[in-house]
Amino acid sequence: MSVLASLLTALPLSVADPRKGFGDTLEKPEEIFHSKCVIGSGTFCINRTGILLFIVFAVLAVILIATTSRPKLVPTGWQNGVEAIYDFIRRDIVLGVIGPDGERFAPYLASLFLFTFMASLIEVIPGLQFPVTSRMALPALLAIISWLIYNYAGIRAKGLWGYLKGIMFPPGVPKPLYVIVTPIEFAAALILRPFTLAIRLFANFFAGHLLLVVAFVGSSYLFLGNPATKAFFALTLIGGILGVGLEIFIAAVQAYVFALLTAAYIRLSTVEEH
Amino acid sequence: MPHIVWLVLGVLAAIKGSVSMIGYGLSAIGPGIGIGIMVGKTVEGQARQPEMAARLQTTMILGIAFTDVLALIGFVGLFIAG
């Protein structure tokens, strides 16, 4: 037992310089998310995140235009898959949450789902391996668009005053309690909703990317770094591979949740209280 | 009794690193319990009434999204406080 304990305490000392042996191939910790400029410099800098964003956009555009520009009555192959995804979003999210009135939001919700999913899935595609959604800018932009859309839908359905009244004065509350309820509801509906939409997506992929980086860099270090640690690298490698599967699942779930919550907010702002 | 007070103060003085990490851990407790109860109840409902499973699942995901707000605010607090 004491031998094991001394071995475990000795390990960190023997790996005191974790970057030795990797040379310049390994990114510094601060470069994992703030990658270097590839094109341009200063304000007009396009780094890896920007390039990956364009790749996601181009791949989605090519797939969607190629499969739906000449639709066949009986879909085959790619058209079948794309139509299945669109049908799932329309049936499950649009009709299931908003109802028949939400038909005109179906294109936005479908593109939101597909774009979020692809921008997150790029985390596990070999060679690219960086989730664009782990930088705060993209989730924040998507959340702002969703915020504008559900406010617009609410104001269009009930008028400006009716919409604000629906948010700030929920019916069935005793009059004195409005002192507490009104600020909370106002902040929850107009500030916390877009905020949490963005943070949820960002936090999931920030943490997920960090998890995969630690697992794979750690296991390659354990393999290359020190003969004593070679026995342990299989454990972290298996953990990392399981983590890849987990990240694919999380990418699908978070894209679904983002679209579902946008639909729910549209419904909450348009529905009439009885 | 005073010994314990000094002990606690000594431990607190010896803590290094980001204390806001502890704050994030504390803020994750509540949503953890809440989401656990919610998912458990949803599974119960789905077992009792399998034909409602899809609608229950949608409602559950909505409920989870409203519950984990507190943990997300804690996560942001972690970054803001450094």
Side-chain angles (χ1 to χ4, degrees):
Chain A
M1 200 63 193
S2 65
V3 175
L4 185 67
S6 64
L7 184 68
L8 285 178
T9 49
L11 273 180
L13 293 177
S14 63
V15 294
D17 185 10
R19 299 176 52 76
K20 210 166 82 181
F22 283 106
D24 296 330
T25 58
L26 194 64
E27 289 175 314
K28 295 186 188 69
E30 62 269 19
E31 284 173 4
I32 293 174
F33 289 98
H34 300 91
S35 46
K36 283 177 286 213
C37 278
V38 179
I39 303 167
S41 62
T43 317
F44 303 99
C45 157
I46 297 179
N47 56 12
R48 185 178 56 182
T49 317
I51 294 172
L52 291 182
L53 193 59
F54 285 124
I55 290 177
V56 169
F57 171 69
V59 165
L60 262 183
V62 166
I63 289 178
L64 292 182
I65 291 173
T67 50
T68 55
S69 58
R70 269 171 308 190
K72 281 180 255 166
L73 190 62
V74 181
T76 51
W78 283 82
Q79 194 195 343
N80 217 343
V82 170
E83 282 190 8
I85 294 174
Y86 184 78
D87 191 52
F88 160 73
I89 293 163
R90 184 171 163 275
R91 183 168 34 82
D92 227 56
I93 298 178
V94 178
L95 296 181
V97 177
I98 311 181
D101 299 339
E103 201 76 76
R104 62 207 163 99
F105 298 110
Y108 171 65
L109 291 173
S111 28
L112 184 66
F113 175 82
L114 282 173
F115 189 74
T116 317
F117 179 59
M118 291 294 286
S120 315
L121 193 70
I122 207 164
E123 179 180 14
V124 296
I125 293 173
L128 304 175
Q129 275 166 332
F130 182 76
V132 186
T133 44
S134 74
R135 298 298 309 271
M136 191 57 193
L138 183 65
L141 178 68
L142 295 176
I144 288 170
I145 297 172
S146 290
W147 184 82
L148 289 175
I149 283 181
Y150 77 70
N151 281 327
Y152 167 74
I155 292 171
R156 201 179 123 139
K158 296 196 244 177
L160 181 61
W161 174 240
Y163 175 58
L164 286 177
K165 191 164 163 272
I167 291 175
M168 287 157 68
F169 300 102
V173 179
K175 284 256 152 36
L177 276 183
Y178 278 130
V179 178
I180 307 172
V181 169
T182 303
I184 292 177
E185 288 290 318
F186 184 79
L190 292 183
I191 299 167
L192 282 181
R193 275 178 193 176
F195 183 74
T196 53
L197 265 184
I199 298 286
R200 180 175 299 113
L201 192 60
F202 158 73
N204 269 289
F205 291 98
F206 182 79
H209 187 59
L210 216 52
L211 179 86
L212 293 189
V213 167
V214 170
F216 286 122
V217 172
S219 53
S220 77
Y221 174 71
L222 285 179
F223 187 68
L224 299 171
N226 192 313
T229 60
K230 221 164 238 188
F232 297 101
F233 98 99
L235 282 176
T236 51
L237 189 64
I238 290 170
I241 291 168
L242 293 179
V244 168
L246 181 74
E247 287 307 311
I248 296 174
F249 173 70
I250 289 179
V253 167
Q254 289 304 319
Y256 177 68
V257 164
F258 202 103
L260 184 75
L261 279 176
T262 304
Y265 293 154
I266 291 172
R267 175 173 164 73
L268 284 176
S269 57
T270 53
V271 74
E272 296 285 339
E273 282 89 6
H274 302 294
Chain B
M1 206 58 176
H3 292 88
I4 294 175
V5 173
W6 284 115
L7 190 67
V8 169
L9 284 179
V11 169
L12 282 179
I15 288 178
K16 276 189 215 156
S18 174
V19 186
S20 53
M21 199 72 210
I22 300 173
Y24 170 64
L26 290 176
S27 79
I29 294 175
I33 296 172
I35 290 173
I37 292 175
M38 195 179 318
V39 176
K41 288 284 181 190
T42 308
V43 170
E44 208 173 275
Q46 283 174 338
R48 282 174 194 273
Q49 225 170 341
E51 67 271 15
M52 287 289 287
R55 289 201 57 184
L56 284 178
Q57 193 153 359
T58 309
T59 319
M60 179 190 81
I61 290 178
L62 280 181
I64 288 177
F66 292 133
T67 312
D68 71 358
V69 165
L70 296 171
L72 292 174
I73 292 173
F75 182 77
V76 175
L78 168 67
F79 283 108
I80 290 175

